[in-house]
Amino acid sequence: MEALLKWAAELGVSDSPSPPSSSPSGNISSPSCLGGSLVVADFPDAGGRGLAAARDLRRGELVLRLPRAALLTSDRVTADDPRIAACVSAHKPRLSSVQILIVCLLAEVGKGSNSVWYPYLCQLPSYYTILATFNDFEVEALQVDDAIWVAQKAKSAIKSDWEDATPLMKELEFKPKLLMFKSWLWAFATVSSRTLHIAWDEAGCLCPVGDLFNYAAPDDDTLLEDEDTAELTNYQQKNGMTNSSERLTDGGYEDCNAYCLYARKNYKKGEQVLLAYGTYTNLELLEHYGFLLGENPNEKTFIELDLDICSVGTWPKDSMYIHPNGHPSFALLCALRLWSTPTNRRKAVSHQVYSGSMLSTENEMGIMKWLINKCEGTLQQLPTTVEFDDSLLVLLRTIQNSSNCRADAKRSGFEQEFAVFLRFHRAEQDCSGNSLLPFRLMRSVERWELAVQWRCNYKKTLKKCISYCEGLVHELPLQLNQQ
């Protein structure tokens, strides 16, 4: 890490609000690109390795500046290597920008210590937990058909991209190991989980040091208060920063020819500094970044809806879901109100429905009862209960540091589930004695835990929806009597 920070400083990466100073030779003189605003720190319960505030930070304050020379992009790699440029140019019409960036990344990996990006490449994770890395056992552990389909589709698409890009990689004479799908999947996961948006390349850019920030879901709490805006604008103009009210994200490539990242809220010294990569559900976070949030304000829980419900109005299907608190979304509620109205009456009440108004107590109670039955039926069709999943999560977190996995599994009542896991991996002998799980099994347990956590959250939301609807079924007649 120390070598990475020194190398990044030489490229001009800095956490100082002012541009870094250069020595007479033109090189940046600082031994580290961090220390002014940020420091590398470990947050075991909040994303692992990340960046902490080195001092008190103001919301909207510039915390990291990365010049274009420090961004790993396909155009930078091809500019530095004419051979790669010539081969990529010949294949470019039939390959996507993401495929080209992956090929460029693997080409740099193949150069080893001769790559100009070697200090950065050494710090990249050796494995990822995005959905496409899940094996069949882990995919089935998701239990919900929609989630299983997303995982299978993701892996299939990546495999197709790898097959299409293989002729280019062979032309570049990649080593056999780098030609394997396993290497392509690693590189894809790197690009998927670590790139930042740039205007000139849809694939984005890999951002050394900038990709150390962990994720925070965007929400209204991080928006600037009116009384703070004028003072902050003056501060930013004084320091040559972009006005935060003009930015849609926590950073971007700006006119100063640098990628600039900003504090999304006020931070005290030592607090973890987080960035919002965008608005994602937990399944989308798992698909693209390999993690999920215990409490995600942008989570959407979908239930299976008949075609006549989805087509009754103009609401998009992806707008009909259940919120994390168990409340049906506006679109789902409106669609159910219209769907439960007799066909010959729908046109007459459509203006009420589209305005979000309740049609009648009877209509509303019918909808709530339908939702209760739908959620209960969905839960009954799933192989395990919330209580089972919660207990299994405890075991999965325990055995990752256990010296006797079998004993722990037996003690917790999950001996059968653990035996199925070992049989799938053909690893009965690997866990026969008193020892830690082998590394390959440790990675699989980590992904298994993510799958169980996702399905557990899904079920808990359905149970909240049942409780919410049952409450309304009880309250609506009382409100009618009072009127």
Side-chain angles (χ1 to χ4, degrees), residues 28-45:
I28 305 301
S29 56
S30 173
S32 174
C33 63
L34 300 182
S37 300
L38 304 166
V39 291
V40 178
D42 190 43
F43 301 92
D45 300 321

Side-chain angles (χ1 to χ4, degrees), residues 81-231:
D81 193 320
R83 181 167 170 270
I84 295 177
C87 293
V88 165
S89 179
H91 290 263
K92 203 166 190 176
R94 63 183 188 81
L95 295 179
S96 70
S97 57
V98 172
Q99 287 172 296
I100 291 171
L101 180 56
I102 291 173
V103 170
C104 288
L105 173 60
L106 288 172
E108 291 299 325
V109 170
K111 294 177 183 178
S113 58
N114 292 323
S115 170
V116 296
W117 302 99
Y118 184 70
Y120 171 61
L121 299 176
C122 287
Q123 288 294 320
L124 290 175
S126 61
Y127 75 99
Y128 292 91
T129 55
I130 64 170
L131 271 184
T133 65
F134 282 35
N135 60 37
D136 291 345
F137 177 89
E138 296 147 9
V139 169
E140 289 299 320
L142 292 164
Q143 293 187 351
V144 179
D145 288 342
D146 283 351
I148 292 173
W149 178 80
V150 169
Q152 292 172 338
K153 181 184 175 186
K155 192 160 195 172
S156 176
I158 295 168
K159 202 156 197 172
S160 176
D161 284 350
W162 165 65
E163 290 169 350
D164 290 342
T166 296
L168 170 58
M169 293 190 289
K170 286 183 176 179
E171 191 174 321
L172 288 168
E173 299 178 347
F174 278 14
K175 297 174 184 177
K177 184 178 180 180
L178 294 178
L179 289 172
M180 295 171 64
F181 176 64
K182 184 178 179 181
S183 295
W184 181 270
L185 184 56
W186 172 85
F188 173 88
T190 300
V191 169
S192 175
S193 63
R194 306 182 84 82
T195 49
L196 296 177
H197 170 76
I198 48 176
W200 68 88
D201 191 336
E202 289 182 1
C205 64
L206 287 166
C207 198
V209 183
D211 58 10
L212 293 175
F213 287 101
N214 286 321
Y215 175 81
D219 55 53
D220 293 339
D221 293 340
T222 59
L223 297 178
L224 289 171
E225 300 291 343
D226 292 339
E227 58 266 27
D228 294 337
T229 305
E231 183 181 352

Side-chain angles (χ1 to χ4, degrees), residues 224-350:
L224 289 171
E225 300 291 343
D226 292 339
E227 58 266 27
D228 294 337
T229 305
E231 183 181 352
L232 180 58
T233 299
N234 291 335
Y235 173 85
Q236 290 170 328
Q237 290 175 346
K238 182 180 177 182
N239 289 278
M241 302 177 189
T242 300
N243 190 324
S244 62
S245 62
E246 298 172 359
R247 296 196 316 272
L248 299 179
T249 64
D250 296 340
Y253 193 82
E254 300 184 357
D255 294 339
C256 59
N257 289 326
Y259 213 104
C260 297
L261 298 169
Y262 299 85
R264 65 194 317 270
K265 67 173 190 175
N266 295 331
Y267 290 99
K268 293 292 185 184
K269 181 179 179 180
E271 285 186 323
Q272 180 171 198
V273 180
L274 301 168
L275 290 184
Y277 314 151
T279 301
Y280 296 98
T281 66
N282 270 342
L283 189 60
E284 290 167 339
L285 285 174
L286 204 51
E287 179 182 2
H288 301 294
Y289 298 101
F291 67 89
L292 46 80
L293 301 176
E295 294 184 9
N296 185 352
N298 305 302
E299 178 66 322
K300 299 176 181 179
T301 297
F302 294 93
I303 52 176
E304 187 177 350
L305 299 172
D306 294 335
L307 181 61
D308 53 348
I309 297 176
C310 297
S311 60
V312 73
T314 59
W315 302 280
K317 189 176 180 181
D318 62 4
S319 68
M320 292 184 274
Y321 57 87
I322 300 170
H323 288 287
N325 62 1
H327 296 193
S329 69
F330 177 84
L332 177 57
L333 198 55
C334 291
L336 290 174
R337 284 170 177 163
L338 196 58
W339 169 74
S340 60
T341 301
T343 307
N344 60 352
R345 290 272 304 145
R346 289 177 181 173
K347 187 174 181 180
V349 301
S350 61

